[in-house]
């Protein structure tokens, strides 16, 4: 049985593997890598704090790739591990710090190239690592049970039974022949391998159990020798504090949290029976409150980042804004729990103020969204009412109400601001309802005009009738004419149009009658003026009465007496000239009365004072 070795070459490999794995995003940093070579088998244990990495397969691939890069160092004849000059088997384990059993296992065979033909050997190694040969069906079945496939569910993963958490120093690896794995044999030994394989596998299992049991106590940190992890924990904690001293970013805070949590995990892993436990406990009293405040800060920042992500692609519905509102409030509450004595308090307060401003903006956006939704619903309801009212509207009052309702619809839609989820719909509805508003406005204007003209025409008709009663035919004629004009202006398709049409014949006839009566009145007036001039030229010659059909002129008794006396005197005296003048005077009176008859178109009758008809004049 060969003795386990820890040559410098393996320490270099550990360092290379640790750097390589730490450089990748495997969610298992910081790593602790330990290597052991024995019996042509290289065992690699990778330890890390919780949680279990989701990238197990990728981790094993990185280890394998690092070994392939490292194998060129092994062709050196002065290598401190000359056994690696040939092919060797690699056992890889992943284990959470503090756990007894690894949670993932992988095995691969690596072929080391010779210095004379390195490139061909590399190609062969790549092929072998891709599809490692198996000795027989039993070995293939065992490897299948141990192999961890990331593509399968956790229920299909096989937990490898491997050593408890260990630093993998050479003194921690006891001799264990059962860890031997079968190397490649000639075809002649294949049957022999097949027969002994079950025994070898059984021995391997027993050896692994013995190996894990023997390491379970001594493998705890700081049990024997120096407690190097204390220094590591302090460095991690100090590094965490240094990170937060500079310009703080989200990633920096997460890194600081990881370092501080890692330091606490390391200190908590130191057992109570260690002489370094008291120092670790003192450090925990310092680091844990800091970690709690940092956790609150991180939770608050994570809540803020998650909430900020929810605000992408606005506008958002009210329910989403309420979710964002709740998110900012939760983030603020978490940050306000950071202790004032904490190094992160000032930063937390800055974030609180920033988040409070964000919350105020969200409150306004939420209120705006709610109001916009209410206005949209109100506009839709008002539009339905307007449609119904418009369908039955007839009078001016009806159309005024329709127009007012459409105005309410447009005002509600115009009140919906840009940046809300219903803004686009509101714009579309405005375009849809604008023609209906215009139609209602035009119809209201028509009804208003029809109402005014109809009522004005009716009022003028009433005034014309009053003028007729007073014999004011000129006034009546003018009012009938204007009233008829108003009635005829009532627009089609308005409420008063049919009523106006029914009044047109009445108004036309009344206007014609008024015109006729006006002409008669004018004629009578002229007759009166002429008779007034004749009958009262020098003295009271006559009296008269005027009707529509006849003018009666009665000579006064004084006038008749004067004519008779003048004629008798002139005849007695033989005054021929006076007799001629008297004749001419009577003749002129007859001519004047005849002219009145012809001019007025009315019969003129002349009577004696005793009411005896003595002369009649008919118009030509």
């Amino acid at each position: 049985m060969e003795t386990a070795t820890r040559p410098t070459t393996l320490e270099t490999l550990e360092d290379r593997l640790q750097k390589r794995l730490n450089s990748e995003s495997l969610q298992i940093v910081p790593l602790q890598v330990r290597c052991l070579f024995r019996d042509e088998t290289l065992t690699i244990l990778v330890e890390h704090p919780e949680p279990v990495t989701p990238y197990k397969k990728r981790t094993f691939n990185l280890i394998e790739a690092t070994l392939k890069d490292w194998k060129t160092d092994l062709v050196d004849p002065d290598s401190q591990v000359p056994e690696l000059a040939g092919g060797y088997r690699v056992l890889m384990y992943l284990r959470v710090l503090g756990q007894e059993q690894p949670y993932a296992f992988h095995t691969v065979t690596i072929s080391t190239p010779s210095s004379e033909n390195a490139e061909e050997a590399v190609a062969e190694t790549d092929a072998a690592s891709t599809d490692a040969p198996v000795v027989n069906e039993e070995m293939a079945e065992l490897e299948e049970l141990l192999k961890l496939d990331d593509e399968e569910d956790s229920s299909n993963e096989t937990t490898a039974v491997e050593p408890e958490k260990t630093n993998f120093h050479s003194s921690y690896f006891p001799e264990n022949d059962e860890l031997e794995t079968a190397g490649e044999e000639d075809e002649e030994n294949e049957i022999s391998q097949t027969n002994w394989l079950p025994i070898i596998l059984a021995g391997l299992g027993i050896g692994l159990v013995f190996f894990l049991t023997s390491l379970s106590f001594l493998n705890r940190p700081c049990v024997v020798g120096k407690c190097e992890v204390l220094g590591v924990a302090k460095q991690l904690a100090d590094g965490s504090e240094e990170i937060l001293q500079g310009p703080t970013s989200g990633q920096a805070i997460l890194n600081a949290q990881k370092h501080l949590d890692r330091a606490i995990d390391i200190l908590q892993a130191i057992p109570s029976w260690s002489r370094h436990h008291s120092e670790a406990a003192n450090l925990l009293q310092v680091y844990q409150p800091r970690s709690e405040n940092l956790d609150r800060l991180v939770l608050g920042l994570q809540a803020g980042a998650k909430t900020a992500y929810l605000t992408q692609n606005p506008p958002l519905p009210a329910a989403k804004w309420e979710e964002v509102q709740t998110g900012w409030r939760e983030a603020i509450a978490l940050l306000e729990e950071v202790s004032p004595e904490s190094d992160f308090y000032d930063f937390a307060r800055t974030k609180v103020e920033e988040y409070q401003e964000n919350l105020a903006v969200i409150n306004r956006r939420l209120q705006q969204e709610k109001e916009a939704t209410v206005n949209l619903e109100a506009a839709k309801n008002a539009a339905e009412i307007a449609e119904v009212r418009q369908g039955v509207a007839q009078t001016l009052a009806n159309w005024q109400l329709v127009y007012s309702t459409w105005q309410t619809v447009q005002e509600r839609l115009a009140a919906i601001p840009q940046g809300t989820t219903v803004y686009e719909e509101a714009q579309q509805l405005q375009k849809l309802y604008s023609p209906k508003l215009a139609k209602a406005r035009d119809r209201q204007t028509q009804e208003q005009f029809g109402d005014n003209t109809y009522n004005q025409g009716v009022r003028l008709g009433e005034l014309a009738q009053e003028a007729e009663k007073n014999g004011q035919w000129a006034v009546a004629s003018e009012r009938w004419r204007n009233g008829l004009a108003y009635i005829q202006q009532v627009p089609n398709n308005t409420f008063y149009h049919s009523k106006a049409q029914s009044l047109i014949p009445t108004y036309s006839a009344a206007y014609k009658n008024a015109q006729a009566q006006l002409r008669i009145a004018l004629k009578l007036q002229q007759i009166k003026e002429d008779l007034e001039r004749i009958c009262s030229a020098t003295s009271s010659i006559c009296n008269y009465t005027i009707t529509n059909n006849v003018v009666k002129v009665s000579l006064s008794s004084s006038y008749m007496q004067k004519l008779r006396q003048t004629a008798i005197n002139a005849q007695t005296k033989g005054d021929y000239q006076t007799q001629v003048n008297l004749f001419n005077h009577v003749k002129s009176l007859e001519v004047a009365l005849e002219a009145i008859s012809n001019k007025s178109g009315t019969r003129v009758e002349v009577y004696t004072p005793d009411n005896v008809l003595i002369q009649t004049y008919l118009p030509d």
Side-chain angles (χ1 to χ4, degrees):
M1 187 178 298
E2 298 181 11
T3 305
T5 61
R6 289 282 301 161
T8 305
T9 303
L10 293 184
E11 295 177 356
T12 303
L13 175 60
E14 291 173 351
D15 183 65
R16 183 175 298 188
L17 285 171
Q18 187 154 339
K19 290 180 179 179
R20 178 70 178 273
L21 294 176
N22 277 323
S23 67
E24 301 290 336
S25 178
L26 300 173
Q27 298 186 7
I28 56 174
V29 291
L31 301 166
Q32 182 171 302
V33 182
R34 291 293 179 265
C35 299
L36 175 66
F37 183 79
R38 183 181 64 245
D39 300 334
E40 298 183 356
T41 299
L42 177 62
T43 304
I44 301 175
L45 177 64
V46 179
E47 291 185 298
H48 62 86
E50 290 185 349
V52 173
T53 176
Y55 306 113
K56 309 176 189 68
K57 189 173 182 179
R58 183 177 173 187
T59 304
F60 291 137
N61 290 339
L62 285 173
I63 295 174
E64 186 176 345
T66 304
L67 292 175
K68 290 178 182 178
D69 295 338
W70 178 65
K71 65 190 173 185
T72 56
D73 298 338
L74 304 179
V75 300
D76 186 358
D78 296 329
S79 172
Q80 298 186 35
V81 190
E83 295 86 344
L84 295 181
Y88 61 96
R89 187 175 181 80
V90 180
L91 300 177
M92 309 175 202
Y93 301 96
L94 296 180
R95 186 172 67 186
V96 174
L97 239 133
Q99 299 294 324
E100 294 184 358
Q101 302 295 337
Y103 63 84
F105 164 79
H106 186 60
T107 179
V108 68
T109 300
I110 301 293
S111 299
T112 304
S114 64
S115 59
E116 292 81 12
N117 196 10
E119 293 183 0
E120 290 79 356
V122 169
E124 292 175 1
T125 303
D126 290 340
S129 63
T130 302
D131 187 15
V134 296
V135 177
N136 49 40
E137 294 181 0
E138 289 80 359
M139 180 60 73
E141 181 179 358
L142 176 61
E143 291 185 351
E144 183 63 24
L145 291 173
L146 295 176
K147 182 172 61 178
L148 195 66
D149 188 356
D150 288 335
E151 297 178 354
E152 296 293 327
D153 294 332
S154 60
S155 61
N156 295 329
E157 294 179 357
T158 303
T159 302
V161 181
E162 284 302 316
E164 184 198 9
K165 181 180 76 172
T166 176
N167 292 328
F168 265 69
H169 293 298
S170 58
S171 59
Y172 291 171
F173 282 84
E175 298 282 341
N176 193 347
D177 290 341
E178 284 74 11
L179 279 174
E180 291 183 78
T181 58
E184 296 196 7
E185 301 290 343
D186 294 335
E187 293 182 1
E188 298 89 309
N189 298 328
E190 187 173 359
I191 298 175
S192 176
Q193 280 185 330
T194 303
N195 295 333
W196 285 95
L197 184 58
I199 300 175
I200 293 174
L201 292 179
L204 177 62
I206 295 172
L208 286 175
V209 173
F210 177 77
F211 178 69
L212 295 175
T213 304
S214 63
L215 290 178
S216 61
F217 179 81
L218 293 177
N219 198 34
R220 300 296 296 272
C222 300
V223 175
V224 295
K226 295 182 178 180
C227 189
E228 297 177 357
V229 294
L230 274 176
V232 173
K234 291 178 181 179
Q235 290 178 358
L236 289 170
D238 293 342
S240 171
E241 188 173 1
E242 289 176 4
I243 291 174
L244 295 173
Q245 295 302 321
T248 307
S249 65
Q251 188 58 47
I253 292 174
L254 289 177
N255 291 337
Q257 183 190 39
K258 288 180 180 179
H259 289 183
L260 188 57
D261 289 345
R262 173 60 176 151
I264 292 174
D265 289 340
I266 291 174
L267 293 174
Q268 288 178 337
I270 297 176
S272 59
W273 56 82
S274 171
R275 60 190 179 87
H276 302 283
H277 177 72
S278 176
E279 183 178 359
N282 292 334
L283 291 175
L284 284 173
Q285 290 181 354
V286 176
Y287 296 161
Q288 284 178 333
R290 185 189 303 175
S291 176
E292 291 173 359
N293 282 305
L294 186 55
D295 288 344
R296 296 188 187 100
L297 178 63
V298 170
L299 289 175
L301 294 178
Q302 288 175 340
K306 179 182 178 181
T307 303
Y309 179 78
L310 294 177
T311 62
Q312 293 182 347
N313 302 320
L316 302 175
K320 199 67 174 180
W321 285 125
E322 289 175 348
E323 183 180 352
V324 173
Q325 184 186 61
T326 301
W328 285 125
R329 288 172 177 171
E330 291 177 353
I332 292 171
L334 289 169
L335 293 174
E336 287 180 338
E337 291 180 0
V338 176
S339 173
E341 291 77 19
S342 171
D343 297 335
F344 326 122
Y345 180 74
D346 291 340
F347 179 76
R349 291 307 307 170
T350 301
K351 282 297 180 180
V352 165
E353 293 175 0
E354 177 184 333
Y355 290 175
Q356 286 175 339
E357 292 178 0
N358 294 342
L359 178 60
V361 172
I362 297 306
N363 290 339
R364 291 194 294 271
R365 293 297 295 271
L366 174 59
Q367 183 64 27
Q368 193 178 63
E369 184 66 28
K370 288 182 176 179
E371 291 177 353
T373 303
V374 170
N375 282 329
L376 181 66
E377 291 303 316
K380 289 180 177 179
N381 293 334
E384 293 179 359
I385 296 173
E387 294 278 7
V388 173
R389 288 174 174 173
Q390 186 168 327
V392 297
Q394 293 183 354
T395 65
L396 172 63
N398 296 152
W399 283 105
Q400 286 175 334
L401 184 58
V402 171
Y403 177 64
S404 175
T405 308
W406 280 122
Q407 277 187 316
T408 300
V409 172
Q410 293 291 41
E411 288 171 0
R412 288 284 193 171
L413 294 175
I416 297 175
Q418 191 172 6
T420 58
T421 57
V422 297
Y423 175 75
E424 293 299 330
E425 184 178 359
Q427 294 297 301
Q428 294 175 359
L429 290 178
Q430 276 189 305
K431 293 179 181 178
L432 177 64
Y433 296 150
S434 291
K436 299 183 179 182
L437 175 66
K439 180 180 178 180
R441 180 181 60 246
D442 294 343
R443 186 59 185 274
Q444 175 191 247
T445 302
Q446 286 183 337
E447 289 293 339
Q448 183 71 62
F449 180 76
D451 185 270
N452 291 340
T453 55
Y454 177 81
N455 289 328
Q456 188 67 16
V458 170
R459 178 59 179 163
L460 286 172
E462 293 173 351
L463 294 175
Q465 290 175 349
E466 291 180 4
E468 286 180 349
K469 292 178 181 179
N470 296 325
Q472 299 173 337
W473 293 107
V475 175
S477 177
E478 180 68 17
R479 288 175 177 174
W480 282 121
R481 183 177 64 83
N482 292 335
L484 180 61
Y486 275 111
I487 290 296
Q488 290 174 335
Q489 292 179 37
V490 175
N492 292 334
N493 301 322
T494 59
F495 178 73
Y496 285 109
H497 179 260
S498 60
K499 293 184 178 182
Q501 292 299 306
S502 66
L503 291 178
I504 289 176
T506 302
Y507 274 51
S508 297
Y511 174 61
K512 290 178 181 179
N513 179 65
Q515 286 285 87
Q517 293 298 326
L518 176 60
R519 287 192 297 270
I520 294 173
L522 292 174
K523 179 179 68 174
L524 296 177
Q525 180 66 27
Q526 186 63 46
I527 293 172
K528 181 178 180 180
E529 291 176 358
D530 292 341
L531 290 174
E532 188 69 26
R533 185 179 66 253
I534 293 171
C535 292
S536 58
T538 55
S539 59
S540 179
I541 296 177
C542 57
N543 297 314
Y544 59 87
T545 59
I546 302 172
T547 63
N548 292 338
N549 299 321
V550 64
V551 176
K552 293 182 179 181
V553 179
S554 299
L555 298 176
S556 64
S557 59
S558 61
Y559 174 69
M560 291 297 293
Q561 182 66 31
K562 186 176 182 180
L563 283 179
R564 188 179 300 111
Q565 187 64 41
T566 301
I568 292 172
N569 290 337
Q571 187 177 8
T572 301
K573 293 178 179 181
D575 188 354
Y576 178 75
Q577 186 62 39
T578 299
Q579 292 179 356
V580 171
N581 291 339
L582 184 61
F583 175 79
N584 290 336
H585 169 74
V586 174
K587 186 63 177 178
S588 64
L589 178 60
E590 292 177 349
V591 170
L593 292 175
E594 185 178 7
I596 289 173
S597 176
N598 291 331
K599 182 179 180 180
S600 64
T602 305
R603 187 174 75 236
V604 177
E605 298 176 348
V606 182
Y607 292 87
T608 64
D610 298 332
N611 200 24
V612 176
L613 179 63
I614 59 176
Q615 183 66 40
T616 300
Y617 301 100
L618 297 176
D620 294 339

